[in-house]
Amino acid sequence: MKNEIKNIIDHFKNLKILVIGDAILDTYIYGTTDRICREAPVPVFNSTEENYSCGGAANTAINVSALGAETYYLTVLGKDFNAKCLLDNLHRNNVHTEFILKDKTRKTIAKKRVIASSNIILRLDEGTTADINDEIENELLQKFFEIEDFVDAIIISDYGFGVITDSFIHSLQSIGSFSKPIIVDSKDVSRFKNLHPFAVKPNYEEVLQLLKIPKVPKNKRIEQILKKSDALLKNSGAENVVVTLDIDGVILFQKAKKAYHVNCVPRDLKNTIGAGDTFISALTLAAGSGLKMEEATEIAAAAAAIVVQKDGTALCTNVQLKSYFNSVPKYISNTEELESIIKELRKKGKKIVFTNGCFDLIHKGHIALLNKAREAGDVLIVGVNNDESARKVKGPDRPVNTLEDRITVLAGLQSIDYIISFGEESPLQLIKSVHPDVFVKGADYTEKSIPELPLLKKLSCQVKIIPCLQDISTTNIIHRINEIVEETEQKNEVKKTGKIMAEEKSLS
């Protein structure tokens, strides 16, 4: 089943998707506050870094693109610096922007977050949120119908900031029905009721608004929502209603079907900025690939689970989503998949650390080595000898544990980000693919004795030798186990001999 899902995710690359809706420029201004202003009793903020990313429907567009589909984005921007930053970001993320309209009378929406010591201390909002004018709306409709002819699905991402007007929705309704599925993500999905979308995705607060029902404690939300299936379908006008409930997962409602609940994985949410955009993107692509909505919802929940573990406005890539459905999530099955992940990491300026070994019987020496390796950079990739390779290195009686068992144990260690196996005695080809910034080995090696040293020097890779814990090794553990087995067998033999002698004596 997991291989079938990975094939479906591969199919995302064959789809063309239109995203239409409000664009937001998310700006993150990082700095420090270490003194008080003389003019007023407020902290002085020293700016050290400023990052820009796409928010709103623009974030949905780059999520669709990151998941592999050819993506067309339709919106209205101002003619200003914020618009330039948005367009640059969209271009970098391979989103078609040639249909985007500009209106000199509007100011592009931006949300500027001022951050000190990982805490947002201020948010500055700017931009035009009033409805677009009639002339621009007519142009938007013309562009919409032009693109609609050659895409496979349409996402309407409505943040209520003026691009998706009531008259625009009414114009779409006048068409009657669309040959392409329309998926709506809106703060008020009732606006699209007469459009009869294929699916809508309200969160809990939006459901309360849609149904005019009171808020209940978190432990009662699922029970409350499950009772509202008919009302949700009726008030939204949609074939499918997918309600997102953060730590309580997702509930899918369909006509004449039992509600389908997907648990939240993981439950320790690190960050939820943009998770809804990721969810709607993956849901659209999975449904557009022919999956049943239950399966599409599972895939969308997996994509959201990936981004909530990241910082800031994050993306889920096609490779990351496929990796999620590996039997062991951290395990990468081939170098092509690993190279795609590394490409994304390089874009973000991450420092990559690589180490390798058999990791047969995991002991505290391994844990210490891997923890120190992780401290040497931002991402730790571990190469593991497959069973045949381990026998060549360690001898015919090794490994004690199979590759699958060893990978499963390693995947449970927090220090490791990715695992990949190799079949040679030395991971030379793997090192070429990873091109690490730091290569780590235990102190049972010296730098000169590392077989891969010439390649590492050629790659300008730093070599770091980690001190080993004394008398801690897999070989010593195996020897100790063998000694215990021998001692036990000897004791059993003595007992057996003593019992026989006692029986013979009693018979005499």
Side-chain angles (χ1 to χ4, degrees):
M1 180 59 185
K2 288 189 174 182
N3 283 335
E4 290 176 12
I5 289 175
K6 292 172 79 170
N7 289 337
I8 288 291
I9 296 169
D10 267 332
H11 180 264
F12 290 177
K13 297 173 184 177
N14 299 326
L15 298 177
K16 294 181 175 68
I17 306 296
L18 167 62
V19 179
I20 178 170
D22 309 286
I24 301 169
L25 179 67
D26 283 329
T27 305
Y28 297 89
I29 305 169
Y30 298 92
T32 58
T33 54
D34 52 11
R35 60 194 175 93
I36 301 298
C37 176
R38 291 183 179 180
E39 298 99 316
V42 294
V44 174
F45 180 82
N46 295 304
S47 176
T48 57
E49 184 183 352
E50 196 163 331
N51 294 331
Y52 303 98
S53 60
C54 290
N59 186 46
T60 301
I62 63 172
N63 267 277
V64 173
S65 178
L67 287 166
E70 188 170 358
T71 309
Y72 297 83
Y73 184 38
L74 185 54
T75 192
V76 180
L77 303 177
K79 291 186 176 182
D80 49 29
F81 175 77
N82 290 341
K84 181 182 182 303
C85 288
L86 269 166
L87 289 169
D88 288 346
N89 209 311
L90 289 163
H91 287 150
R92 283 197 300 272
N93 286 279
N94 301 313
V95 175
H96 288 280
T97 61
E98 59 266 34
F99 296 98
I100 291 176
L101 301 175
K102 287 187 177 181
D103 180 357
K104 64 182 180 181
T105 68
R106 294 180 73 85
K107 188 173 183 181
T108 306
I109 298 169
K111 295 181 180 180
K112 298 181 178 180
R113 297 169 177 88
V114 181
I115 302 169
S117 302
S118 301
N119 295 311
I120 297 176
I121 59 174
L122 180 66
R123 197 180 90 178
L124 305 171
D125 291 4
E126 62 185 30
T128 306
T129 58
D131 286 355
I132 55 176
N133 62 46
D134 292 345
E135 182 182 347
I136 292 293
E137 185 183 296
N138 287 331
E139 286 187 54
L140 194 69
L141 278 165
Q142 289 174 16
K143 298 288 186 186
F144 178 89
F145 290 121
E146 182 181 342
I147 307 168
E148 192 260 341
D149 284 340
F150 59 84
V151 297
D152 298 294
I154 299 160
I155 300 174
I156 298 178
S157 182
D158 172 33
Y159 278 73
F161 292 150
V163 170
I164 310 296
T165 63
D166 288 338
S167 55
F168 179 86
I169 297 170
H170 182 74
S171 296
L172 297 185
Q173 290 169 3
S174 65
I175 302 301
S177 62
F178 286 86
S179 58
K180 312 296 170 61
I182 294 178
I183 293 87
V184 173
D185 186 10
S186 173
K187 293 182 181 298
D188 182 6
V189 297
S190 66
R191 298 180 68 211
F192 303 86
K193 179 179 178 180
N194 294 327
L195 193 58
H196 301 295
F198 173 74
V200 296
K201 186 207 71 66
N203 60 29
Y204 180 67
E205 297 295 333
E206 289 159 359
V207 166
L208 299 184
Q209 177 185 324
L210 177 67
L211 302 182
K212 304 294 187 292
I213 57 177
K215 190 173 186 176
V216 299
K218 280 199 171 184
N219 63 345
K220 299 287 185 182
R221 291 191 307 177
I222 294 177
E223 180 184 354
Q224 180 192 31
I225 297 300
L226 285 173
K227 295 176 181 178
K228 303 296 181 182
S229 176
D230 291 342
L232 282 166
L233 291 163
K234 180 181 178 182
N235 288 24
S236 66
E239 292 181 43
N240 303 277
V241 178
V242 187
V243 180
T244 55
L245 298 169
D246 49 77
I247 63 170
D248 289 323
V250 183
I251 304 176
L252 166 67
F253 296 97
Q254 299 170 283
K255 289 180 181 177
K257 280 192 175 184
K258 186 179 178 181
Y260 186 77
H261 183 216
V262 179
N263 289 320
C264 174
V265 182
R267 294 184 67 85
D268 55 330
L269 306 185
K270 181 177 181 180
N271 162 56
T272 58
I273 298 174
D277 300 328
T278 302
F279 183 95
I280 201 74
S281 301
L283 183 76
T284 302
L285 292 173
S289 298
L291 282 180
K292 292 179 180 178
M293 278 301 290
E294 291 86 351
E295 295 166 332
T297 303
E298 293 271 6
I299 288 177
I306 291 168
V307 299
V308 297
Q309 293 300 292
K310 300 181 180 184
D311 294 319
T313 306
L315 300 173
C316 172
T317 66
N318 187 279
V319 170
Q320 289 166 345
L321 187 55
K322 282 189 293 188
S323 297
Y324 185 94
F325 289 99
N326 288 336
S327 55
V328 179
K330 290 183 182 179
Y331 180 61
I332 308 302
S333 57
N334 57 71
T335 54
E336 181 184 0
E337 193 173 335
L338 181 62
E339 286 170 0
S340 296
I341 291 171
I342 289 170
K343 186 178 179 180
E344 293 296 322
L345 294 170
R346 295 287 185 204
K347 284 181 183 177
K348 297 175 182 177
K350 300 296 185 183
K351 187 176 183 180
I352 297 172
V353 184
F354 178 82
T355 190
N356 67 279
C358 294
F359 299 100
D360 194 359
L361 298 175
I362 300 294
H363 50 70
K364 68 178 184 179
H366 289 131
I367 304 299
L369 171 71
L370 294 167
N371 285 342
K372 288 293 183 183
R374 184 62 177 79
E375 291 172 6
D378 301 308
V379 177
L380 175 59
I381 299 171
V382 176
V384 182
N385 297 76
N386 66 18
D387 293 344
E388 184 181 350
S389 172
R391 279 190 286 274
K392 290 177 183 177
V393 174
K394 299 293 185 180
D397 297 329
R398 301 281 297 278
V400 174
N401 290 311
T402 65
L403 176 64
E404 183 180 354
D405 290 343
R406 289 181 282 137
I407 286 171
T408 302
V409 173
L410 288 169
L413 301 180
Q414 192 174 2
S415 56
I416 297 174
D417 295 288
Y418 299 102
I419 305 164
I420 187 167
S421 62
F422 61 96
E424 304 79 26
E425 291 184 42
S426 173
L428 283 170
Q429 293 303 316
L430 195 51
I431 290 170
K432 288 179 183 178
S433 296
V434 175
H435 199 146
D437 300 294
V438 183
F439 179 81
V440 170
K441 273 293 189 183
D444 44 345
Y445 286 85
T446 63
E447 186 169 324
K448 290 183 179 179
S449 70
I450 295 174
E452 302 83 11
L453 187 62
L455 174 61
L456 295 169
K457 285 185 175 180
K458 186 178 179 180
L459 297 175
S460 301
C461 176
Q462 176 191 355
V463 176
K464 192 174 182 67
I465 304 297
I466 306 294
C468 293
L469 299 181
Q470 289 187 347
D471 301 323
I472 300 293
S473 72
T474 301
T475 302
N476 288 344
I477 291 172
I478 292 172
H479 285 164
R480 179 60 185 146
I481 291 171
N482 289 335
E483 287 173 0
I484 291 171
V485 170
E486 288 176 8
E487 289 173 6
T488 302
E489 288 177 347
Q490 288 173 1
K491 288 177 182 178
N492 289 339
E493 189 64 33
V494 169
K495 286 180 181 179
K496 184 179 178 182
T497 302
K499 185 178 180 181
I500 293 171
M501 290 177 64
E503 288 175 352
E504 289 176 348
K505 186 176 181 182
S506 66
L507 290 172
S508 63

